[in-house]
């Protein structure tokens, strides 16, 4: 039996990928960076192709296994996700009103090197969009329960095993390379070096906000489940680092599932159902960031913060619009551009500045999203009294 050690762990490989990526990006010429960017895009497309399979292979079997509790658990999970997202945004809004007017923030964004166009292009389209996979998995799961189809139930269990094998043998293996190439491209473009000093203050404030919200969520999860939340979040470091590297909740999903599976306090069925669902519906970190940044950009361009009434409408709608964002780096801002322009009245300069600032910390917002999913799963486990070991049903299901 192979002995586990830190240097053989996913955490070490991810950290090593980040370091190597930054170094390679700084010394690369145009030809090298084109090749690296091509590899990054191919691996990203491959992961993007697998993500809908993960959703179908985990959420649908999990819904079927929950049977009569599926509707209630789905509803409760979605409500918690929305409340968490709106709560994080509200905290960010209150912090922004207190902090932003007192900051002296530079308004110019440094330029960077452009990645040359690659001659070689290979596009791997997913079998369906992420949201289509999510809706399909929920409808199929409910339909199998209603029709009581034993054949489909067995097929879905086999599908879960197949997809899990793909995750372990393909996605986990290529993730360090994907992260290394991502950071190499960012390093070459100069994003890490040239733009970070401009917005360092607000980025640090936002990251602190992420950890505050993660603390709030895990504390609430511990109270609701009557367990020590450390038994969940202590396993999430690989997922956090993967999210930092990929900037995508969807791309991080395989690692997040693997981390959640190590927890002894999460019900297996709720875990396999909730984690994939939350990766597409729980954007607390990204929304927290966007709210603080739109207030910052408004201060930069107009010299004042947005009207409170407009911000309340923006926050309530942003929790819904952000659902379309997973899987796309910077997707929360992209999905909500209509809100930014219509509700807050941003012009082209404002939206461009917003996209630029958001890109600098997108990875940390995504990491907050992914890590806090474990807290949501623990809350649902506690609400439905499914903590393993507390009753015979949970023991039988484990």
């Amino acid at each position: 039996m192979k002995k586990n050690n830190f240097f053989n762990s996913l955490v070490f490989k991810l950290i090593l990928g980040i370091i190597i990526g930054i170094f390679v990006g700084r010394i690369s010429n145009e030809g090298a960076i084109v090749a690296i960017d091509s590899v990054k895009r191919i691996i990203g497309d491959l992961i993007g192709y697998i993500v809908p399979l993960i959703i179908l292979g985990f959420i649908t079997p999990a819904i079927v296994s929950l049977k009569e509790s599926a509707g209630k658990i789905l509803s409760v999970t979605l409500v918690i996700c929305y409340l968490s997202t709106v709560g994080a945004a509200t905290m960010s809004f209150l912090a922004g009103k207190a902090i932003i007017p007192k900051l002296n923030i530079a308004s110019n964004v440094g330029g960077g090197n452009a990645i040359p166009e690659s001659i070689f292009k290979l596009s791997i389209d997913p079998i369906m969009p992420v949201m289509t996979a999510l809706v399909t998995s929920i409808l199929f799961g409910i339909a199998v329960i209603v029709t009581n189809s034993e054949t489909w139930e067995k097929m879905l269990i086999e599908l879960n095993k197949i997809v899990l094998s793909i995750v372990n043998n393909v996605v986990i293996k290529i993730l360090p390379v994907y992260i290394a190439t991502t950071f190499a491209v960012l390093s070459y473009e100069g994003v890490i070096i040239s733009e970070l000093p401009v917005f360092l203050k607000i980025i640090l404030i936002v990251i602190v906000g992420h950890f505050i919200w993660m603390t709030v969520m895990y504390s609430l999860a511990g109270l609701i489940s009557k367990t020590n939340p450390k038994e969940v979040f202590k396993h999430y470091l690989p997922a956090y680092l993967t999210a930092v590297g990929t900037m995508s909740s969807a791309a991080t999903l395989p690692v997040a599932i693997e981390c959640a599976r190590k927890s002894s306090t999460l019900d297996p069925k709720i875990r396999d159902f909730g984690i994939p669902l939350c990766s597409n519906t729980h954007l607390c970190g990204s929304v927290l960031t966007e709210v603080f940044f739109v207030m910052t950009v408004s201060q930069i361009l107009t010299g004042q913060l947005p009207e409170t009434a407009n911000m309340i409408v923006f926050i309530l709608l942003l929790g819904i619009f952000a659902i379309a964002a997973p899987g796309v780096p910077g997707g929360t801002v992209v999905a909500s551009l209509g809100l930014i322009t219509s509700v807050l009245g941003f012009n082209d300069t404002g939206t461009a500045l917003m996209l630029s600032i958001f890109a600098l910390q997108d990875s940390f917002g995504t990491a907050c999203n992914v890590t806090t999913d474990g807290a949501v799963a623990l809350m649902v486990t506690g609400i439905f009294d499914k903590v393993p070991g507390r009753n015979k049903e949970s023991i039988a299901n484990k």
Side-chain angles (χ1 to χ4, degrees):
M1 185 175 180
K2 184 182 283 188
K3 185 178 180 180
N4 290 327
N5 60 72
F6 176 74
F7 296 104
N8 195 42
S9 67
L10 180 60
V11 175
F12 175 74
K13 293 175 182 176
L14 297 177
I15 294 175
L16 188 63
I18 293 172
I19 295 172
I20 292 175
I22 293 174
F23 175 75
V24 170
R26 297 299 295 169
I27 65 173
S28 293
N29 56 25
E30 286 192 1
I33 205 64
V34 166
I36 292 171
D37 186 54
S38 297
V39 173
K40 168 183 170 291
R41 292 175 185 275
I42 292 172
I43 296 178
D45 282 354
L46 179 58
I47 293 175
Y49 173 83
I50 295 173
V51 166
L53 298 179
I54 293 173
I55 294 172
L56 292 172
F58 278 88
I59 292 183
T60 313
I63 291 176
V64 173
S65 66
L66 290 169
K67 296 190 184 300
E68 68 276 357
S69 301
K72 294 179 181 178
I73 292 177
L74 172 62
S75 301
V76 169
T77 303
L78 291 177
V79 168
I80 292 175
C81 288
Y82 183 76
L83 291 177
S84 172
T85 300
V86 172
T90 303
M91 183 187 77
S92 181
F93 169 65
L94 296 175
K97 290 201 70 170
I99 297 172
I100 292 174
K102 300 176 182 178
L103 296 177
N104 182 21
I105 307 170
S107 60
N108 60 312
V109 183
N113 299 319
I115 303 294
E117 189 72 20
S118 175
I119 299 176
F120 175 76
K121 291 183 179 180
L122 176 63
S123 179
I124 307 173
D125 296 324
I127 57 175
M128 64 179 71
V130 170
M131 286 305 298
T132 302
L134 180 61
V135 173
T136 301
S137 65
I138 292 173
L139 291 178
F140 261 76
I142 294 174
V144 172
I145 292 175
V146 172
T147 58
N148 197 27
S149 173
E150 295 182 1
T151 301
W152 269 96
E153 185 172 353
K154 292 177 181 178
M155 288 174 60
L156 289 171
I157 292 174
E158 291 300 316
L159 176 63
N160 180 263
K161 294 178 181 178
I162 292 170
V163 173
L164 186 60
S165 175
I166 293 174
V167 168
N168 290 331
N169 296 303
V170 178
V171 180
I172 299 296
K173 303 292 185 184
I174 63 176
L175 266 177
V177 179
Y178 182 50
I179 289 175
T181 54
T182 299
F183 270 84
V185 171
L186 288 174
S187 180
Y188 177 85
E189 289 176 326
V191 171
I192 297 174
I193 305 300
S194 67
E195 293 192 3
L196 185 57
V198 178
F199 301 108
L200 184 59
K201 289 181 181 179
I202 58 172
I203 290 173
L204 291 176
I205 291 170
V206 164
I207 292 174
V208 170
H210 293 161
F211 282 96
I212 290 174
W213 191 249
M214 284 189 280
T215 301
V216 169
M217 288 295 288
Y218 272 102
S219 298
L220 289 173
L223 291 173
I224 293 173
S225 64
K226 298 178 182 178
T227 64
N228 187 349
K230 182 180 178 182
E231 181 51 37
V232 178
F233 72 74
K234 72 178 182 181
H235 300 294
Y236 260 86
L237 182 57
Y240 187 92
L241 293 174
T242 301
V244 169
T246 64
M247 304 182 190
S248 169
S249 297
T252 309
L253 179 56
V255 181
I257 292 174
E258 189 68 23
C259 293
R261 282 176 172 267
K262 295 178 181 178
S263 172
S264 61
T265 55
L266 292 178
D267 178 75
K269 293 178 180 178
I270 291 177
R271 174 197 65 208
D272 289 349
F273 166 72
I275 298 301
L277 178 64
C278 288
S279 75
N280 293 280
T281 58
H282 188 220
L283 287 299
C284 60
S286 296
V287 167
L288 183 155
T289 300
E290 182 169 348
V291 168
F292 198 89
F293 282 0
V294 295
M295 297 174 73
T296 302
V297 171
S298 177
Q299 182 77 21
I300 290 172
L301 298 179
T302 68
Q304 61 184 8
L305 300 176
E307 295 290 334
T308 299
N310 290 342
M311 284 303 301
I312 292 174
V313 174
F314 179 73
I315 288 170
L316 293 176
L317 293 178
L318 185 59
I320 299 173
F321 273 66
I323 293 176
V328 183
T332 306
V333 173
V334 174
S336 62
L337 283 179
L339 292 179
I340 292 175
T341 56
S342 61
V343 178
L344 301 181
F346 276 31
N347 56 19
D348 291 342
T349 302
T351 54
L353 186 57
M354 186 66 202
L355 288 166
S356 178
I357 305 174
F358 193 90
L360 294 178
Q361 70 69 61
D362 187 27
S363 55
F364 294 99
T366 302
C368 177
N369 297 340
V370 170
T371 304
T372 317
D373 290 347
V376 175
L378 185 58
M379 287 182 188
V380 177
T381 296
I383 289 172
F384 288 92
D385 195 24
K386 296 285 188 178
V387 178
R390 285 192 182 166
N391 54 61
K392 293 181 180 179
E393 182 182 354
S394 288
I395 294 174
N397 290 337
K398 191 174 180 180

